[in-house]
Amino acid sequence: MTERLTPRTILLLTLPPLLWAGNAVVGRLLHDMLPPVLLNFLRWALALCFLLPLAGPVFRREAGLWRYWRQYAALGLLGIGMYNALQYMALQSSTPINVTLVASGMPVWMMLTGWLFFGVPVSRKQVAGAVLSIAGVVLVLARGEWRHVLELRLVAGDLFMILATIAWSLYSWLLLRVKEPAAIRANWASFLLAQVAFGVLWSGGFALAEQAVGAMPVHWSWALAAGLLYVATGPAIVAFGCWGAGVRAAGPAIGSFFVNLTPLFTAVLSSAILGETPHAYHAAAFALIVGGIVISARR
């Protein structure tokens, strides 16, 4: 059931992209203070602590979670253990604006993943929209110089973000496979906590592997503590709760367009906080990506 956009619904759908943009900027600010995979682990470990008082009963035997632990282990791996770690790794060598614009190509990967692995048919309009969106992403990767496309060399951050979007696409399709008791998903905190619990195990293992290969030391400071507190609460818990309520009110089709506010918010925050001035090709890429999504969403 959906309703027309009210000021409350607009706020619910606008706040998450703003918080996610802040996550990219803060991730960039912290990139020389601690290793990226460790940052991801600490973020979700803190989020786990905050969620336990809200939804701890989801771990009780009668809740039914443990019968479906494989499903939630997969969700935790893709959505928490991999996506966020790869995003923070991308921010080691790429700017927040580039990272979020590459991530804006997500609908293309969603379409391809659904077609390849879940048997979802693809229409001609979706293909046309995908071509436009891919053109926008390539424009970002080529840094605005089309003549350099044939000479395109991906920096590590670009590649990590592409892998992150593929992981999130798989995660999103797996979310549609509902097998567990409805009570787990009825409460957003319970549903998130169930995923975070497994995601923390995955991200903890990845962080140990990162340390084993010789990661940079952690430079503890109040700035680092504040950054960790932000990424563990705003982009994770608050954004997830608002997004769920907004999508329930307006529907996923309308909600998907609000996601593309993330690069715009990132450009504003990057300019204000990091001093990174957006370029004309960023605006052109954003227009191509959004145009592709609009075309693919038409009936």
Side-chain angles (χ1 to χ4, degrees):
M1 182 67 67
T2 62
E3 62 183 31
R4 68 182 181 85
L5 284 176
T6 64
R8 176 180 179 274
T9 304
I10 292 173
L11 176 62
L12 287 172
L13 291 174
T14 302
L15 187 58
L18 177 60
L19 294 171
W20 292 330
N23 182 52
V25 172
V26 171
R28 180 65 176 175
L29 285 170
L30 302 182
H31 82 280
D32 59 353
M33 298 184 189
L34 78 170
V37 181
L38 179 60
L39 168 58
N40 185 56
F41 168 69
L42 293 175
R43 172 195 185 183
W44 289 109
L46 283 172
L48 178 69
C49 296
F50 295 141
L51 286 167
L52 277 173
L54 300 175
V58 75
F59 295 127
R60 293 175 181 170
R61 180 175 298 180
E62 60 269 22
L65 171 64
W66 300 114
R67 290 180 55 193
Y68 302 93
W69 69 269
R70 291 181 179 85
Q71 174 185 347
Y72 279 88
L75 291 174
L77 169 63
L78 294 168
I80 293 171
M82 290 183 64
Y83 177 78
N84 293 278
L86 287 166
Q87 183 185 44
Y88 290 140
M89 291 169 70
L91 288 165
Q92 295 287 305
S93 57
S94 191
T95 67
I97 299 175
N98 272 26
V99 164
T100 52
L101 276 172
V102 172
S104 292
M106 182 76 71
V108 175
W109 295 107
M110 292 280 287
M111 180 189 69
L112 292 175
T113 301
W115 175 56
L116 290 173
F117 300 107
F118 297 90
V120 178
V122 177
S123 68
R124 291 182 179 179
K125 288 183 178 180
Q126 287 176 311
V127 173
V131 171
L132 273 181
S133 291
I134 290 173
V137 173
V138 171
L139 181 60
V140 174
L141 299 180
R143 305 302 188 263
E145 297 291 339
W146 286 114
R147 65 178 184 273
H148 293 160
V149 170
L150 295 179
E151 307 169 358
L152 185 61
R153 296 292 184 273
L154 296 179
V155 301
D158 298 330
L159 180 59
F160 285 139
M161 203 59 222
I162 290 173
L163 292 175
T165 57
I166 294 173
W168 188 263
S169 298
L170 288 168
Y171 164 81
S172 300
W173 280 106
L174 288 177
L175 282 177
L176 299 180
R177 293 187 169 184
V178 182
K179 299 178 180 179
E180 73 278 19
I184 297 178
R185 298 199 182 208
N187 183 329
W188 70 268
S190 296
F191 187 44
L192 180 57
L193 180 59
Q195 299 173 64
V196 169
F198 288 99
V200 165
L201 295 177
W202 286 113
S203 57
F206 295 151
L208 288 175
E210 180 184 54
Q211 294 297 313
V213 298
M216 64 176 287
V218 179
H219 302 287
W220 292 105
S221 66
W222 285 112
L224 175 56
L228 286 172
L229 182 62
Y230 171 77
V231 298
T233 54
I237 298 175
V238 176
F240 191 95
C242 290
W243 185 253
V247 168
R248 283 194 297 272
I254 293 177
S256 65
F257 291 101
F258 281 81
V259 175
N260 290 285
L261 291 172
T262 305
L264 291 182
F265 287 143
T266 303
V268 173
L269 292 177
S270 294
S271 179
I273 299 174
L274 301 177
E276 295 174 351
T277 304
H279 299 284
Y281 72 82
H282 286 125
F286 180 77
L288 286 169
I289 292 168
V290 173
I293 294 170
V294 170
I295 290 175
S296 64
R298 284 183 174 179
R299 299 295 182 183

